[in-house]
Amino acid sequence: MAAPFEERSGVVPCRTPWGRWYQTLEEVFVEVHVPPGTRAKDVSCSLQSRHLALAVGGRQLLQGKLFDSTIADEGTWTLEDRKLIRIVLMKTNRDAGNCWTSLLENDYAADPWVQDQMQRKLTLERFQREASQRTLDLTSVVQKSLEITAKEDQTSLALKNELF
């Protein structure tokens, strides 16, 4: 199986005062730098379909309406090395044309160059997935064809044995 998209071609991050965010066809990733030693019990993270809120130690770091809808019950957050919070949001619309131009409706917009690069990566990801699917489909057709040929050969051999 092919390596995940990120490993083959990298991501295009949009830098922010608190960290960065980036996206694939299916997901939006948010990485927030927090003070070293932060504990999970200090983190308050609310992930809703169209809203995100993140506070650490009672201090609001991120809050607002998301650029587009997500699948709320598939969103997750993790605290890594007690200094980075990684939020993963599952996009509702997973079409290559659904390239988020900003994380929140009115905040953390990608500049035009980053936006263009993000769109290129999503288009490439879609193309790679479609090519991979076509290869799998072709493999399946060839395998079925070989199975049919093998059955025909067995039938032909059985007829020859009956005749002679």
Side-chain angles (χ1 to χ4, degrees), residues 34-98:
V34 294
T38 296
R39 297 177 304 178
K41 72 178 189 175
D42 299 327
V43 177
S44 172
C45 186
S46 171
L47 305 175
Q48 298 171 4
S49 175
R50 287 292 309 248
H51 191 267
L52 167 67
L54 175 66
V56 175
R59 185 171 148 246
Q60 197 71 41
L61 298 178
L62 192 55
Q63 180 176 1
K65 188 173 181 181
L66 293 166
F67 178 80
D68 202 354
S69 64
T70 62
I71 303 171
D73 61 349
E74 291 188 21
T76 61
W77 69 269
T78 56
L79 176 62
E80 299 176 12
D81 299 327
R82 298 180 72 177
K83 62 182 179 182
L84 177 77
I85 295 174
R86 184 183 318 271
I87 300 170
V88 181
L89 305 169
M90 185 65 66
K91 292 179 178 180
T92 302
N93 179 356
R94 299 173 186 173
D95 180 46
N98 184 31

Side-chain angles (χ1 to χ4, degrees), residues 2 5 18 20 37 45 58 80 88-89 123 135 145:
F5 173 74
W18 41 259
R20 69 185 192 159
C45 186
E80 299 176 12
V88 181
L89 305 169
T123 300
T135 299
S145 176

Side-chain angles (χ1 to χ4, degrees), residues 24-38:
T24 65
L25 279 177
E26 297 179 347
E27 298 166 316
V28 175
F29 297 84
V30 182
E31 296 177 350
V32 181
H33 298 286
V34 294
T38 296

Side-chain angles (χ1 to χ4, degrees), residues 151-161:
K151 287 180 182 177
E152 288 173 349
D153 288 347
Q154 288 174 349
T155 303
S156 179
L157 184 59
L159 285 173
K160 282 183 185 177
N161 287 339

Side-chain angles (χ1 to χ4, degrees), residues 1 8 13 19 21 23 40 58 63 65 67 77 85 99 106 109 132 141 155 161 163:
M1 180 112 204
R8 287 196 305 267
W21 68 274
Q23 63 187 310
Q63 180 176 1
K65 188 173 181 181
F67 178 80
W77 69 269
I85 295 174
C99 183
N106 298 311
S132 177
V141 168
T155 303
N161 287 339
L163 291 173

